[in-house]
Amino acid sequence: MAHKSLNPGDIPKWRREFLNKIVHGDCLALLKSIPADSIDIILTDPPYFLDKMDAAWSDARVSSQKYHHTVKSLPAGMKFEPEKGLQFYRWYLKASHSFRRVLKPGGFFFSFSAPRLYHRMASAIDDAGFHVRDCFIWLYTQNQAKAMSLHHFIDKMNLDEPTRKKLKSQFQGWKTPQLKSCFEPIIFAQKPYDNTFLNNMLNHRIGLVNSGVKIGRNMFPANVLTVESVEEIIDKYFLLAKPSRREKGSFNRHKTVKPLTLCEHLLKLTAYAEDTIVLDPFVGSGTTAVAAKRLGLNYVGIDSNLEYVTTARRRLAES
Ligand SMILES: C[S@@+](CC[C@H](N)C(=O)[O-])C[C@H]1O[C@@H](n2cnc3c(N)ncnc32)[C@H](O)[C@@H]1O
């Protein structure tokens, strides 16, 4: 039987505006145009509210010396700002309420985080009414340590040279309590399902995990993932295909591009229907959208930064 082709007038307005598009704007404002219960999966990497990367994400602000209050020219990640966690919680609680509204019952919500902010993110998602099902650990070895020595502060003290030297040698090797971060947590949450899992799958075609999506020798999908070779045993069980050199695009200037293979894995685990819709409300340079496209799924990408919107569109056009 031939498929009845849809007249453009029959396609709901929100689909025409958002489906398989990268849309420029504030996601909280734009999501109001998407009806409730219409998205299958949200896979996103929000601003962490660290290093000035808050809801007003701006590269210029991050590199501006004006905002480095304590130590001038402090590199990204070195300034510890305890109040950021609560700010992030309040903002992400509000965001998670709107994510929950647009998701279908049983729909999944994956959100990347940072180890020292994870508790705030998980609480916001939990408090917005999601079921927190698990937490993935994305393991890596290459990252810069963020701890600082006290030399800078000692130099600022009014001390004679011998006392200064003595103090420095007394604390030689002792640094601010920041570890070299070697993992990123990714929350795995779910909008409450409709009655039972079976009922939810029959009615909404989302809500279960595909246990056939294996990595290496693992017999069941695990909550540890890596995209770089770490060590034989770890590689055997948790190593996804490594990112290719070209996948990011030479024109991509985004600071926090996620690996495509990792995003693809999370989507493969949970996408059941062919017409699955994947939303990334903080799409950045478009990794989630490219992953969805490569798997033949639909995507909706939103970003408030026009440069990243342009980058994401180009990546999609070239993928
Ligand atoms: C961590 S980055 C995402 C990077 C992305 N995963 C990638 O692979 O390129 C977060 C993005 O959120 C965007 N953003 C921040 N606040 C936003 C808002 N209110 N609405 C939409 N996008 C926002 C920023 O411009 C930034 O590109």
Side-chain angles (χ1 to χ4, degrees):
M1 197 174 72
H3 282 287
K4 201 178 128 199
S5 60
L6 276 179
N7 180 328
D10 297 337
I11 302 173
K13 187 166 175 273
W14 80 270
R15 283 188 163 249
R16 276 184 272 131
E17 282 173 6
F18 289 93
L19 204 64
N20 298 322
K21 298 221 158 66
I22 303 293
V23 183
H24 176 222
D26 169 42
C27 65
L28 293 189
L30 287 168
L31 286 187
K32 291 182 185 149
S33 307
I34 298 186
D37 302 343
S38 34
I39 302 290
D40 298 271
I41 301 168
I42 295 179
L43 168 55
T44 199
D45 172 27
Y48 297 167
F49 279 52
L50 302 173
D51 305 325
K52 316 286 164 318
M53 295 303 203
D54 54 19
W57 177 294
S58 149
D59 283 352
R61 254 185 107 212
V62 176
S63 36
S64 163
Q65 296 296 317
K66 207 172 118 195
Y67 293 93
H68 294 306
H69 302 299
T70 36
V71 182
K72 283 202 177 101
S73 73
L74 201 58
M78 286 189 129
K79 188 163 174 242
F80 188 76
E81 300 166 294
E83 75 285 359
K84 289 289 172 195
L86 191 56
Q87 285 175 18
F88 176 76
Y89 168 83
R90 289 186 180 131
W91 175 72
Y92 218 46
L93 176 63
K94 197 173 152 204
S96 298
H97 273 292
S98 63
F99 299 160
R100 190 186 149 184
R101 187 188 69 80
V102 296
L103 273 174
K104 290 180 184 169
F108 289 111
F109 180 19
F110 298 97
S111 183
F112 286 79
S113 184
R116 73 181 162 98
L117 264 192
Y118 179 80
H119 61 299
R120 293 291 189 184
M121 183 184 74
S123 300
I125 291 173
D126 211 340
D127 292 350
F130 280 92
H131 294 167
V132 175
R133 309 272 335 169
D134 212 316
C135 166
F136 288 89
I137 297 297
W138 165 28
L139 205 64
Y140 44 77
T141 57
Q142 305 303 318
N143 199 5
Q144 266 201 314
K146 309 288 189 204
M148 281 188 290
S149 82
L150 301 184
H151 287 196
H152 174 85
F153 302 98
I154 295 171
D155 283 339
K156 285 198 155 181
M157 292 168 79
N158 192 13
L159 300 171
D160 56 58
E161 198 47 32
T163 316
R164 193 191 311 280
K165 272 195 174 158
K166 196 172 160 224
L167 207 52
K168 281 187 181 173
S169 94
Q170 187 179 340
F171 294 116
Q172 185 59 36
W174 290 86
K175 300 208 166 185
T176 52
Q178 280 141 295
L179 304 173
K180 178 179 166 184
S181 198
C182 289
F183 77 94
E184 258 194 46
I186 307 165
I187 199 165
F188 179 37
Q190 183 171 36
K191 177 165 169 174
Y193 47 87
D194 181 359
N195 199 10
T196 62
F197 280 116
L198 180 59
N199 187 63
N200 202 88
M201 283 304 276
L202 292 172
N203 288 333
H204 307 284
R205 300 192 300 154
I206 187 78
L208 296 179
V209 160
N210 185 349
S211 65
V213 178
K214 299 189 176 87
I215 303 177
R217 293 212 187 157
N218 236 333
M219 297 306 288
F220 201 85
N223 60 5
V224 176
L225 305 168
T226 181
V227 292
E228 62 178 77
S229 195
V230 179
E231 179 269 337
E232 198 187 352
I233 304 280
I234 293 186
D235 294 358
K236 255 186 216 164
Y237 292 93
F238 309 123
L239 180 63
L240 295 159
K242 288 187 201 165
S244 76
R245 280 208 191 155
R246 287 176 51 236
E247 71 173 47
K248 188 176 154 183
S250 55
F251 49 87
N252 189 347
R253 299 198 314 121
H254 203 290
K255 286 191 165 65
T256 64
V257 181
K258 295 296 181 230
L260 207 48
T261 47
L262 195 96
C263 294
E264 280 183 13
H265 177 73
L266 299 175
L267 296 180
K268 274 194 252 172
L269 267 184
T270 46
Y272 174 75
E274 276 175 16
D275 60 352
T276 292
I277 304 178
V278 180
L279 163 70
D280 188 342
F282 308 105
V283 79
S285 66
T287 313
T288 303
V290 174
K293 186 179 173 193
R294 281 171 37 144
L295 297 175
L297 308 173
N298 296 298
Y299 59 85
V300 173
I302 300 175
D303 204 281
S304 54
N305 182 315
L306 191 55
E307 183 191 336
Y308 301 148
V309 167
T310 309
T311 303
R313 287 177 182 157
R314 183 164 168 196
R315 273 180 88 191
L316 280 156
E318 292 181 11
S319 69

